[in-house]
Amino acid sequence: MGKGFVASEELIAPDYREQDDARLHYQTIMRRVNALPEAQRNTVFLVYVEGFTYQEAAQTLAVPVGTIMSRLAAARATLAKPAEAQSPEREKRS
């Protein structure tokens, strides 16, 4: 083989499908979290993203710990539903 040439078998293009799927999944999750009511969204970020304890989140938001627990439960329930189930536009079309 001549200089500067590489056999075509060695030229394998990287497969970005897995990265694209992961990026799409992340964007979907972030869109759904951002659609939560502000109080739930703030609580989710403090506890699940920032790693605050329930007590720390309650102090930061100036609410009782029970409110933190309720907001997280409501947010989890909303996020657990299929994306189609929470879209108001889809409900209007039915």
Side-chain angles (χ1 to χ4, degrees):
M1 204 173 290
K3 293 182 180 179
F5 290 97
V6 178
S8 62
E9 300 85 42
E10 296 177 30
L11 296 175
I12 299 174
D15 185 0
Y16 292 109
R17 284 179 290 190
E18 219 173 281
Q19 288 178 345
D20 290 343
D21 290 344
R23 183 177 21 256
L24 182 61
H25 184 68
Y26 170 78
Q27 289 172 344
T28 301
I29 290 170
M30 289 309 299
R31 196 170 27 255
R32 293 185 67 196
V33 168
N34 285 328
L36 291 170
E38 183 179 8
Q40 290 178 19
R41 186 174 60 245
N42 290 341
T43 305
V44 164
F45 277 108
L46 286 177
V47 174
Y48 296 129
V49 178
E50 297 296 330
F52 283 35
T53 65
Y54 288 10
Q55 184 64 43
E56 291 169 334
Q59 290 172 347
T60 301
L61 297 173
V63 297
V65 173
T67 301
I68 297 298
M69 296 168 70
S70 296
R71 289 176 182 178
L72 290 175
R76 283 192 303 266
T78 299
L79 295 172
K81 294 176 189 172
E84 302 82 39
Q86 70 181 30
S87 174
E89 292 177 10
R90 292 184 189 260
E91 289 176 11
K92 290 178 186 175
R93 292 181 195 162
S94 300

